Amino acid sequence: MIPDLIAQARKIIIKIGSNTLADMDGRINLTLLEDFAAQMGELVRERKQVIVVSSGAQVAGLSIMDKWARKRDIHYRQALCAVGQVELMGAWQRAFAPQGLRIAQILLTRDDFGDPIRTLNMRNTLFTLVDEGIIPIINENDTVSVEEIKIGDNDTLAAQSAVLWSADLLILFSDIDGLYDKNPKEYPGAELVAEIRDIDEAQKRIVIGDANRFGTGGIVTKLDAARRVLPYGVPVIIANGGRPGALQALAAGTQRGTACLP
Ligand code: ADP
């Protein structure tokens, strides 16, 4: 099923979570970014279109401003993201350069999705960039997103962007192989759910545990993202992005994941 979904999709949104992007020391894993960029380059050469939703600004910020690590104040956290966002985009730029691909930064807030003029501008910009062969990299604009108006997690941001861009497929890369009947980090015997057709029914059947380290949403926001895009006919793949060649392995059917189908 997953290989078919990837083969059939022309417009693919790929979201990569903080836990996936950060290495053991809490730094952006450049090797992994380069590997992702190479695989996305392959998709582009197959005449597919790709948009990336990338978390990791805070992680990147912390690796530079480690003296701010204990600051809980919202303004420090926003400042940390502002510093880290530059670092993150620099890393993506270097990762895509060997593919001959340019990137573009798109920072969005919840308000942007509620305003028809803004959504039209966002849509047109995304279409223009992608048509010109540029890879847009979307993240939440933390500087203006105080807690009350935050989208709050990039699974939701990716889902909203998928609908806005009329994507054919949304891939949510995490540090976990997919949705399990219970959190595999707490229950070693947990079983992967390969296919979901009814999100509500699936959510009733499974036990949801906590997110980890840098994660903000956990598995709930991934299911919510699926709930948001499935009515538009956009399937969702939840998969592990932590191993090299993950995208190609999914496309080849050698890596498992969870497919949420409309
Ligand atoms: P990301 O930052 O990649 O979006 P999160 O850390 O927010 O990821 O969420 C993924 C985490 O959710 C997994 O690493 C896992 O520990 C946890 N989790 C809890 N319950 C489940 C479950 N039933 N199936 C899969 N993962 C689960």
Side-chain angles (χ1 to χ4, degrees):
M1 181 47 83
I2 287 180
D4 290 343
L5 290 177
I6 297 175
Q8 283 157 16
R10 200 176 72 89
K11 299 168 75 177
I12 306 179
I13 293 222
I14 298 171
K15 181 257 173 177
I16 308 172
S18 308
N19 287 315
T20 312
L21 287 175
D23 61 20
M24 288 301 186
D25 315 321
R27 286 176 187 273
I28 294 292
N29 184 340
L30 291 174
T31 316
L32 194 80
L33 255 59
E34 281 165 12
D35 181 69
F36 266 121
Q39 295 180 79
M40 292 180 208
E42 196 55 48
L43 291 181
V44 170
R45 287 187 285 278
E46 288 168 17
R47 313 207 73 75
K48 294 188 191 288
Q49 300 186 327
V50 177
I51 291 181
V52 180
V53 177
S54 174
S55 312
Q58 191 159 331
V59 177
L62 273 173
S63 65
I64 307 168
M65 305 302 291
D66 48 355
K67 62 181 180 190
W68 288 357
R70 286 175 202 282
K71 302 240 188 236
R72 291 280 165 262
D73 182 281
I74 175 81
H75 298 127
Y76 269 100
R77 280 198 283 140
Q78 288 173 310
L80 199 59
C81 291
V83 173
Q85 181 66 23
V86 182
E87 198 64 16
L88 179 66
M89 294 310 280
W92 275 120
Q93 190 172 38
R94 286 194 297 281
F96 273 106
Q99 306 303 317
L101 289 169
R102 286 202 174 278
I103 60 160
Q105 171 181 261
I106 312 265
L107 296 176
L108 301 175
T109 61
R110 194 168 83 184
D111 279 356
D112 297 327
F113 286 95
D115 179 306
I117 305 284
R118 288 189 191 193
T119 45
L120 186 66
N121 286 334
M122 282 145 62
R123 199 175 143 86
N124 288 340
T125 307
L126 286 177
F127 272 93
T128 305
L129 287 167
V130 169
D131 283 347
E132 290 295 331
I134 294 167
I135 309 279
I137 303 192
I138 301 176
N139 199 0
E140 181 154 24
N141 190 353
D142 290 293
T143 310
V144 291
S145 297
V146 288
E147 221 58 66
E148 306 81 71
I149 60 148
K150 241 178 156 358
I151 297 169
D153 71 86
N154 276 355
D155 295 321
T156 307
L157 179 60
Q160 286 175 311
S161 305
V163 173
L164 182 79
W165 183 49
S166 312
D168 300 324
L169 175 64
L170 171 61
I171 305 180
L172 301 174
F173 275 121
S174 184
D175 64 342
I176 197 98
D177 281 345
L179 178 77
Y180 283 80
D181 58 350
K182 34 189 169 319
N183 188 0
K185 294 190 180 146
E186 294 166 56
Y187 303 91
E191 278 176 30
L192 186 81
V193 183
E195 216 173 283
I196 301 177
R197 285 180 188 274
D198 182 337
I199 302 290
D200 292 328
E201 190 265 331
Q203 199 155 353
K204 277 187 215 132
R205 267 194 299 130
I206 63 164
V207 183
I208 295 170
D210 293 336
N212 41 20
R213 277 204 308 169
F214 307 111
T216 44
I219 217 71
V220 178
T221 54
K222 292 178 192 17
L223 290 174
D224 286 344
R227 206 177 264 118
R228 205 180 267 272
V229 301
L230 292 179
Y232 293 88
V234 185
V236 180
I237 298 171
I238 305 170
N240 194 334
R243 292 184 290 264
L247 247 175
Q248 276 159 0
L250 285 169
T254 53
Q255 179 178 324
R256 296 187 312 161
T258 299
C260 310
L261 303 168

